[in-house]
Amino acid sequence: MSILVMTERLKEDLTHFTQKLMCYKMGIPCKKGVEKKLINQVTLVGRLTKDPVIRYTMEGTPVMNVTLALNRHYRNAKGDFDADFVLCTLWNKAAENTSKYCTKGSLIGIMGRIQTRNYDGLEGKKVYVTEVIADTVKFLGSRPAEEKTDEKELLPF
């Protein structure tokens, strides 16, 4: 057997083992075709890193790219909490409502799926982008307090 054939066989065995392990952890029977049952689902809760800006496709579909800052639950060597910054893409009503009701620092929850896309960069190199495509967006922070006017100013006497 050649090294190439052995490498391919090892790759297939490793893929099969990984799928069996995932099935075991998820408690589903492992049989041929089980890879169709694997799940790509993400739930994130974080704060917007800047004010959301809505754009529209050529067909008029609303779209928005936002970055969520997510705190880690453990401290680094210096004793500080680190943060991760996750790129998220929102479409349609989710984009419109986020643009309308959220600002930089707003606490939101996003449920969606991970997607990786690529494009050719300026120098001709392929650029890969991994992002969360939002299916659902929940606004978790309180609404900004409306300006309160002094009741005495409203009274005519």
Side-chain angles (χ1 to χ4, degrees):
M1 234 191 280
S2 74
I3 293 177
L4 183 60
V5 172
M6 288 175 28
T7 304
E8 286 300 316
R9 179 176 266 174
L10 183 61
K11 192 189 277 186
E12 288 174 14
D13 289 346
L14 184 59
T15 301
H16 181 69
F17 174 76
T18 304
Q19 289 174 351
K20 277 191 164 189
L21 182 62
M22 288 294 292
C23 293
Y24 174 76
K25 284 185 174 185
M26 293 179 2
I28 58 176
C30 191
K31 53 188 172 191
K32 193 168 185 155
V34 76
E35 58 272 2
K36 294 178 184 173
K37 296 181 182 178
L38 297 179
I39 298 170
N40 179 0
Q41 185 174 5
V42 176
T43 303
L44 302 171
V45 175
R47 296 195 180 275
L48 294 175
T49 60
K50 59 183 179 180
D51 287 335
V53 178
I54 195 164
R55 298 177 289 118
Y56 294 89
T57 64
M58 298 294 280
E59 295 82 25
T61 305
V63 63
M64 172 185 300
N65 291 327
V66 297
T67 303
L68 279 186
L70 313 166
N71 288 333
R72 294 185 182 171
H73 295 285
Y74 54 88
R75 295 179 188 269
N76 61 19
K78 294 179 181 177
D80 299 325
F81 288 104
D82 285 332
D84 292 306
F85 299 91
V86 180
L87 178 64
C88 303
T89 302
L90 289 61
W91 292 91
N92 300 316
K93 281 291 186 190
E96 290 176 340
N97 289 336
T98 302
S99 169
K100 187 174 180 181
Y101 297 112
C102 296
T103 59
K104 177 181 177 178
S106 294
L107 183 66
I108 65 170
I110 291 181
M111 291 176 279
R113 61 185 167 80
I114 294 178
Q115 174 179 295
T116 301
R117 59 185 168 87
N118 63 59
Y119 61 90
D120 292 326
L122 297 176
E123 299 174 3
K125 280 187 162 183
K126 258 196 181 171
V127 178
Y128 291 88
V129 178
T130 301
E131 61 192 343
V132 173
I133 306 298
D135 296 323
T136 306
V137 177
K138 301 282 185 189
F139 306 139
L140 303 174
S142 59
R143 290 185 180 175
E146 304 234 356
E147 289 185 31
K148 294 183 179 179
T149 56
D150 195 352
E151 287 185 33
K152 292 180 183 178
E153 293 177 13
L154 299 176
L155 298 175
F157 31 33

